[in-house]
């Protein structure tokens, strides 16, 4: 497909240095604002001088807040604050809607234009003013439909609120209204296209789609392309809005201009080198819901270089699985953070991966480590550290540097279950 060198605004083509300077100028203001307006961050960052957080290095010293902690705080404060102290806005004109995601976790939507920052992602996919958009995300409790509707409206599109289900009625609407664009999951779009072919319903007006909520592998994108629909992915969450989006170059996802992205070792807050797979941690610059170092629980990696479309923002490889690899061994939970704790005790260990094997009721653990100068004495010390931290025994195996897979896995469960 021919790449269209069109941009949503001038922010997308700033020099990387100019962008980084702007982000680092906004960062201390956001951290200070979070401490002042969010009771949760006032507690979590009590010992942090927000104005002093002026670099990525300093940001990396702050704690990572994960969804589990957000949920726990919300549950503990249901009677007084359904957002668990994380929201900087309350009921009234500054908050347009409130949503519920599984948990339930409640998320606010502030009364600002394109609050979720989806317009930029839709524009990169090819949505334009005057398009009719068929939105098949759910309009019930969860924010997905409203997230993408707000971006489409910001672009000057008209939205048909199709929601989920009622496939036959949706096909009828597509055939009669003739929308140019689709928003929703890739799996439901495939159902619509397949059922349209079976029922001989004309849905050829659809030319472009922006999909989220599920992985959409290249093979599926090619399947849609063969049927006349150019499908582009974006990565968004109900907590953060759009984090990164695919462009017509189809080379990774460009990070949105309103967030700061880090990749950390799963279960920790420690940064990994560019290119290494780890957990995606995001700091949003939105004042209403100022999440600082929010751990998404998803795996990704930084992709070097700039997007061929001319967008100069940082890129990630996209969704590469889940970071939470907690598992149970011999009745005990083992967490990625415990594997990191073991490795942290020994400077010789560059990377570690806990492999769990065996059959039901006969679990075996082996800690595979990339290390320099591993001898029998050190091996015994590492085995003792594993017992100390996990309360379980494990063998330690030395492997050559660079031999452990770059897939973000800290715990690999290869057991066979009866």
């Amino acid at each position: 497909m021919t790449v269209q060198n069109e941009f949503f605004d001038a922010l997308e083509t700033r020099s990387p240095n100019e962008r980084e300077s702007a982000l680092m100028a906004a960062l201390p203001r956001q951290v200070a604002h979070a401490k002042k307006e969010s009771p949760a961050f006032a507690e979590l960052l009590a010992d942090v001088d927000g104005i002093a957080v002026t670099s990525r290095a300093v940001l990396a010293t702050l704690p990572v807040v994960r969804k589990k902690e957000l949920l726990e705080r919300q549950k503990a404060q249901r009677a007084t604050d359904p957002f668990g102290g994380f929201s900087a806005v309350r009921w009234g004109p500054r908050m347009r809607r409130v949503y519920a995601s599984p948990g339930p976790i409640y998320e606010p939507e502030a009364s600002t234009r394109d609050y979720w920052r989806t317009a930029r992602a839709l524009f990169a996919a090819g949505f334009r003013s005057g398009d009719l958009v068929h939105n098949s995300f759910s309009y019930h409790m969860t924010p997905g439909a409203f997230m993408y509707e707000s971006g489409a409206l910001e672009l000057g599109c008209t939205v048909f609120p199709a929601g989920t289900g009622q496939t036959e009625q949706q096909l009828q609407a597509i055939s009669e209204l003739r929308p140019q664009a689709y928003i929703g999951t890739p799996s439901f779009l495939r159902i619509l296209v397949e059922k349209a072919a079976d029922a001989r319903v004309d849905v050829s007006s659809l030319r472009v789609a922006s999909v989220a909520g599920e992985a959409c592998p290249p093979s599926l994108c090619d399947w849609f392309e063969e049927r006349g629909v150019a499908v582009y992915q974006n990565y968004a969450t109900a907590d953060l809005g759009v984090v990164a989006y695919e462009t017509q170059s189809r080379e990774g996802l460009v990070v949105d201009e309103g967030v700061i992205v880090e990749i950390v070792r799963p279960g920790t807050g420690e940064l990994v080198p560019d290119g290494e797979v780890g957990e995606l941690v995001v700091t949003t610059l939105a004042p209403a819901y100022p999440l600082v170092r929010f751990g998404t629980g998803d795996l990704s990696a930084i992709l070097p270089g700039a997007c061929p479309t001319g967008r100069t923002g940082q890129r990630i490889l996209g969704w590469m699985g889940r970071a939470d690899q907690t598992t149970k061994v011999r009745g005990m939970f083992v967490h990625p953070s415990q594997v990191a704790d073991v490795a942290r005790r020994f400077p010789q260990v560059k990377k570690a991966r806990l492999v769990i094997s065996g059959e039901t009721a006969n679990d075996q653990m082996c800690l595979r480590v990339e290390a320099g100068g591993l001898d029998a004495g050190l091996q015994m010390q590492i085995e003792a550290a594993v017992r100390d931290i996990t309360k379980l025994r494990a063998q330690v195996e030395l492997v050559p540097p660079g031999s452990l897979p770059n897939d973000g896995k800290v715990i690999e469960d290869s057991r066979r279950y009866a």
Side-chain angles (χ1 to χ4, degrees), residues 144-220:
F146 296 94
M147 290 172 65
Y148 289 93
E149 178 180 286
S150 67
L153 295 177
E154 180 71 12
L155 290 179
C157 301
T158 299
V159 177
F160 177 71
T164 57
Q166 298 179 309
T167 307
E168 289 76 15
Q169 290 93 325
Q170 294 211 29
L171 287 177
Q172 180 180 0
I174 294 172
S175 67
E176 295 177 351
L177 294 175
R178 310 296 292 167
Q180 293 81 32
Y182 167 92
I183 293 172
T185 63
S187 60
F188 190 65
L189 177 59
R190 179 162 189 163
I191 288 172
L192 289 174
V193 172
E194 289 179 334
K195 286 188 176 294
D198 292 341
R200 297 186 179 181
V201 174
D202 183 8
V203 295
S204 61
S205 64
L206 291 175
R207 59 172 175 76
V208 66
S210 180
V211 299
E214 302 168 347
C216 187
S219 58
L220 184 54

Side-chain angles (χ1 to χ4, degrees), residues 112 200 257 279 336 362:
T112 55
R200 297 186 179 181
E257 301 291 337
E279 181 184 4
N362 185 29

Side-chain angles (χ1 to χ4, degrees), residues 67-100:
K67 193 177 287 284
K68 180 181 178 182
E69 183 174 358
L70 191 153
L71 176 59
E72 289 173 348
R73 285 178 176 266
Q74 286 199 2
K75 285 183 174 179
Q77 300 179 43
R78 286 285 193 242
T80 56
D81 184 351
F83 303 110
F86 285 97
S87 177
V89 293
R90 305 293 182 266
W91 312 134
R94 294 180 63 199
M95 188 185 299
R96 180 179 290 120
R97 299 186 184 93
V98 59
Y99 303 97

